[in-house]
Amino acid sequence: MPEPIAIPDLIRFLDLLGVLANGLLGGAVARRFRLDPVGFVVLAIISALGGGAIRDVLLNLRPVALTDLSYLVVALSAALIAFLVPLEGRRWRRWFPTVDAVALGTWAVVGTQKALLHNVHWLPAILLGVLTACGGGAVRDMMLGRVPVILQRSELYATAAFVSGATLVVLTELLPGPIASIGGVLTGGVLCLVARLRGWTLPVDTRWTAGHDPDGD
């Protein structure tokens, strides 16, 4: 297994910010499903660390959550906050889209940046960024017996993650690293937020309906 490459401080900060945001989102889902404290912890950890763990395994690395205690501490703190503070109601609905967009843009950039640092080609690096941003939520949804949101007609969630990673790749060639990272986070995050507020979705074949077999009569 290759030696881990040192991750710049800004990327690590953004990564931990994404852990906190996604941990809170996982805790909010746990409250919606009326889970006990163990459920809060499990969903927060899966949401916060799942995508990054899958990414690290694909990069042939030991998941960062197993080598840096800060990640697990932040995820557990998010679970505790979500358990003690009801993340629901009008105030949460007002802030949830922003928290979600920040988490998405942050992790898409972090995942892409980490892949680039390990000499992965820019296209699979961007896809690893999308996996980082969406993987934990997808695993969480499957644990709850739901079709992952990113596979449904969602508001450009995976698309916004791809845009974040692509923006980072382009800006890295033109601007200093920290500015490129922030630019990627803002671009994808704003797209995610605007798509949610305006209800933008990718087109689907309207001839297909739930339960319809496209190969049937």
Side-chain angles (χ1 to χ4, degrees):
M1 183 173 293
E3 290 296 323
I5 295 176
I7 303 298
D9 289 341
L10 176 64
I11 298 302
R12 184 175 182 276
F13 171 78
L14 293 176
D15 207 6
L16 289 171
L17 178 63
V19 169
L20 177 63
N22 279 276
L24 291 175
L25 296 177
V29 173
R31 180 174 295 278
R32 193 182 314 147
F33 279 79
R34 301 181 182 278
L35 302 185
D36 65 10
V38 173
F40 273 77
V41 170
V42 170
L43 289 195
I45 290 178
I46 291 296
S47 299
L49 304 176
I54 298 172
R55 173 204 64 211
D56 289 344
V57 169
L58 291 176
L59 289 173
N60 197 28
L61 301 169
R62 184 176 300 168
V64 67
L66 301 180
T67 61
D68 188 339
L69 188 59
S70 300
Y71 285 81
L72 190 56
V73 169
V74 171
L76 291 174
S77 298
L80 179 62
I81 293 171
F83 183 74
L84 296 177
V85 181
L87 300 178
E88 55 189 12
R90 184 188 310 173
R91 182 172 301 178
W92 172 248
R93 288 194 297 270
R94 182 189 308 165
W95 285 102
F96 168 78
T98 301
V99 173
D100 200 24
V102 168
L104 178 87
T106 296
W107 270 5
V109 164
V110 169
T112 303
Q113 181 70 75
K114 190 167 186 178
L116 292 173
L117 288 172
H118 286 84
N119 299 315
V120 175
H121 185 273
W122 64 267
L123 182 55
I126 293 173
L127 295 179
L128 283 175
V130 175
L131 177 62
T132 304
C134 304
V139 173
R140 178 196 65 218
D141 289 342
M142 289 187 289
M143 289 180 63
L144 294 170
R146 305 189 301 176
V147 176
V149 173
I150 63 169
L151 301 183
Q152 303 179 50
R153 197 174 182 183
S154 57
E155 292 87 356
L156 306 185
Y157 203 75
T159 303
F162 188 92
V163 169
S164 278
T167 300
L168 172 72
V169 170
V170 172
L171 292 183
T172 297
E173 300 297 323
L174 305 173
L175 300 169
I179 298 178
S181 297
I182 293 173
V185 171
L186 292 178
T187 302
V190 169
L191 175 59
C192 178
L193 185 60
V194 173
R196 183 184 294 274
L197 294 177
R198 293 184 175 272
W200 292 347
T201 61
L202 294 177
V204 298
D205 189 336
T206 56
R207 295 172 297 176
W208 292 9
T209 57
H212 173 67
D213 182 359
D215 295 324
D217 294 332

